[in-house]
Amino acid sequence: MSIGVTAGGGRANRYQVQRIPLDKVAKLKFFSQRNDIRALKVKDFKARCRALRNNPESEIYLLSLADQQILLLLVANSLFKAQTYIDILLLSELAKQAEVEAALAEFIYKQSLNEVIINSPFSLKLDGLTKVFKALEGSFLYHSYKENFNPEQNRIIRRGEWYLVMRFNRSADALTGLYLLAEGQSCPELLQPIFEAQGLLNQAGKIQLLPNYCDQRRRLEPLQSQVETEITEYLSGNRQDFNLPYELPVDAGEFQLKVWQELAKIPYGSYCTYEEIARRIVDPAEANKYGRAVGAACSANPLMLILPCHRVLGQGGELRGFMTGVKTKAWLLDHELLRYR
């Protein structure tokens, strides 16, 4: 991949973009020693440096203001020809969110990266990025999921200690989202609008279990009853496969779709690793470079259980991130007789 170097990046050279050669990646550690920088843990940073040396398709960029104030350090890695994965390694404590969003938007736009997945270990919220990017007349894949989220096309039911969120298309004849969440966990940003509307979030933003909760809105039939029946059977151990119609996002990238197709093939009661998924999609000799990209596609999976991303583990069987929490992932694996809790 060759993204190229943009001098100035923004209007009137507002943002500076510096590409850092891969052979100097080890020298980046000096950034993490500054008090005004949030960085990965040392062991995670070293692991990322090792991965970069083995991945010639990765490019490192330092984004800063014209006055040399550092905003963030990122790695850009192409996934096929249309999609780019951006991993944020360092983030300035002094930078305002609006500046970070504007710099990222300019970077994405200037490099003509129309399909982008952004990963940040610093809980960086990019609520305004889509708006900024639209002003530049661009498109932004990853955050379009939040933008298109309509609480009125969703329903919530309670099943024991769980809340099941069902997202339907406009005609209510296919699922476009399915999520399982437990009491006390932080609510994913994508699902906050519907949980807030139903009064299911406490002051700390965590999900609270209301004993007599019932979604009083009109049921979206007949599909809602079918979903409720099949998920209830699954949770009680009486169902292993689902017969539910669903639609995938029309703006999903090629790599995401390929990962999701592989997820659908993982049988109940079994599991595989992120690298094994990658081997089925890309050249097996290059698969070790795509583990994180597979993880990003899994985290964007809109149909839990139907596309069982909880059955994908790290090397050695360790649990990795999960949209509705690692504890939920462990419970699902345990429920399917995989003792990885």
Side-chain angles (χ1 to χ4, degrees), residues 17-78:
V17 178
Q18 177 187 359
R19 181 178 170 185
I20 300 178
L22 286 174
D23 60 359
K24 296 183 179 180
V25 66
K27 297 182 180 180
L28 298 177
K29 287 188 291 186
F30 80 92
F31 284 115
S32 62
Q33 299 171 359
R34 291 177 43 164
N35 294 330
D36 60 340
I37 296 290
R38 275 189 286 172
L40 296 175
K41 294 180 180 179
V42 174
K43 66 174 183 177
D44 294 333
F45 194 86
K46 289 182 177 179
R48 168 48 69 184
C49 290
R50 288 194 298 270
L52 286 171
R53 291 193 192 97
N54 296 326
N55 190 352
E57 295 184 350
S58 292
E59 295 180 351
I60 306 171
Y61 292 89
L62 181 67
L63 277 60
S64 59
L65 294 175
D67 62 3
Q68 303 303 311
Q69 177 189 330
I70 293 174
L71 293 177
L72 56 90
L73 185 76
L74 62 84
V75 174
N77 180 33
S78 66

Side-chain angles (χ1 to χ4, degrees), residues 159-164 180-183 185 230-239 242 268-269 304-305 310-311 313 319-320 322 324-341:
R159 287 294 180 268
E161 62 180 303
W162 300 100
Y163 282 120
L164 177 70
L180 196 65
L181 301 99
E183 178 186 18
Q185 73 174 79
E230 293 197 14
I231 297 302
T232 300
E233 291 173 349
Y234 169 82
L235 293 175
S236 63
N238 296 317
R239 174 177 287 275
F242 299 98
Y268 183 97
M304 285 179 58
L305 306 183
H310 63 278
R311 298 172 190 163
L313 306 176
L319 296 178
R320 296 277 180 86
F322 194 59
T324 60
V326 173
K327 288 184 179 180
T328 300
K329 183 173 187 175
W331 187 93
L332 290 171
L333 289 170
D334 195 48
H335 176 68
E336 296 181 359
L337 303 182
L338 291 174
R339 304 297 180 178
Y340 283 97
R341 194 188 296 245

Side-chain angles (χ1 to χ4, degrees), residues 11 34 36 82 113 164 220 246 256:
R11 304 294 186 268
R34 291 177 43 164
D36 60 340
L113 307 179
L164 177 70
L220 298 175
Y246 63 85
Q256 283 180 314

Side-chain angles (χ1 to χ4, degrees), residues 26-319:
K27 297 182 180 180
L28 298 177
K29 287 188 291 186
F30 80 92
F31 284 115
S32 62
Q33 299 171 359
R34 291 177 43 164
N35 294 330
D36 60 340
I37 296 290
R38 275 189 286 172
L40 296 175
K41 294 180 180 179
V42 174
K43 66 174 183 177
D44 294 333
F45 194 86
K46 289 182 177 179
R48 168 48 69 184
C49 290
R50 288 194 298 270
L52 286 171
R53 291 193 192 97
N54 296 326
N55 190 352
E57 295 184 350
S58 292
E59 295 180 351
I60 306 171
Y61 292 89
L62 181 67
L63 277 60
S64 59
L65 294 175
D67 62 3
Q68 303 303 311
Q69 177 189 330
I70 293 174
L71 293 177
L72 56 90
L73 185 76
L74 62 84
V75 174
N77 180 33
S78 66
L79 309 176
F80 293 92
K81 295 181 179 179
Q83 199 171 59
T84 300
Y85 180 77
I86 291 179
D87 198 6
I88 298 177
L89 301 183
L90 306 171
L91 181 67
S92 170
E93 290 277 13
L94 304 178
K96 297 179 181 179
Q97 178 171 322
E99 291 283 9
V100 174
E101 291 174 345
L104 272 172
E106 286 279 1
F107 176 79
I108 295 167
Y109 180 76
K110 289 290 186 179
Q111 313 305 335
S112 300
L113 307 179
N114 293 321
E115 296 186 6
V116 180
I117 298 173
I118 293 182
N119 176 58
S120 171
F122 310 110
S123 299
L124 175 64
K125 292 185 177 180
L126 300 172
D127 297 335
L129 184 56
T130 301
K131 183 177 180 180
V132 174
F133 205 70
K134 276 191 171 181
L136 297 172
E137 299 180 352
S139 60
F140 191 71
L141 173 67
Y142 185 74
H143 289 274
S144 65
Y145 293 126
K146 177 187 174 185
E147 180 185 345
N148 295 334
F149 189 85
N150 179 3
E152 292 307 311
Q153 292 300 120
N154 294 266
R155 295 295 183 269
I156 301 179
I157 61 169
R158 179 185 166 191
R159 287 294 180 268
E161 62 180 303
W162 300 100
Y163 282 120
L164 177 70
V165 180
M166 300 166 283
R167 183 180 182 186
F168 300 89
N169 61 4
R170 291 187 178 276
S171 56
D173 58 7
L175 279 172
T176 58
L178 189 68
Y179 308 92
L180 196 65
L181 301 99
E183 178 186 18
Q185 73 174 79
S186 297
C187 185
E189 188 176 0
L190 173 70
L191 303 177
Q192 286 179 4
I194 185 172
F195 274 87
E196 289 175 347
Q198 294 291 306
L200 297 176
L201 294 183
N202 60 24
Q203 292 183 345
K206 296 185 180 296
I207 296 171
Q208 55 184 350
L209 199 60
L210 302 182
N212 299 316
Y213 170 76
C214 179
D215 194 329
Q216 299 292 336
R217 294 173 296 171
R218 176 183 63 85
R219 293 175 61 82
L220 298 175
E221 298 291 17
L223 183 54
Q224 183 172 342
S225 290
Q226 183 183 355
V227 176
E228 293 180 11
T229 297
E230 293 197 14
I231 297 302
T232 300
E233 291 173 349
Y234 169 82
L235 293 175
S236 63
N238 296 317
R239 174 177 287 275
Q240 297 184 4
D241 301 301
F242 299 98
N243 299 307
L244 300 170
Y246 63 85
E247 297 176 356
L248 295 174
V250 296
D251 54 359
E254 178 186 3
F255 188 82
Q256 283 180 314
L257 290 173
K258 287 180 178 291
V259 171
W260 295 344
Q261 289 168 0
E262 293 302 323
L263 293 179
K265 300 176 184 178
I266 307 174
Y268 183 97
S270 62
Y271 72 94
C272 66
T273 66
Y274 296 99
E275 189 172 320
E276 286 172 339
I277 294 286
R279 288 196 198 103
R280 303 169 190 170
I281 300 174
V282 301
D283 182 349
E286 303 290 319
N288 64 321
K289 303 174 184 178
Y290 287 86
R292 290 176 64 85
V294 172
C298 287
S299 69
N301 171 25
L303 292 157
M304 285 179 58
L305 306 183
I306 295 176
L307 305 178
C309 52
H310 63 278
R311 298 172 190 163
V312 186
L313 306 176
Q315 293 287 53
E318 70 270 18
L319 296 178

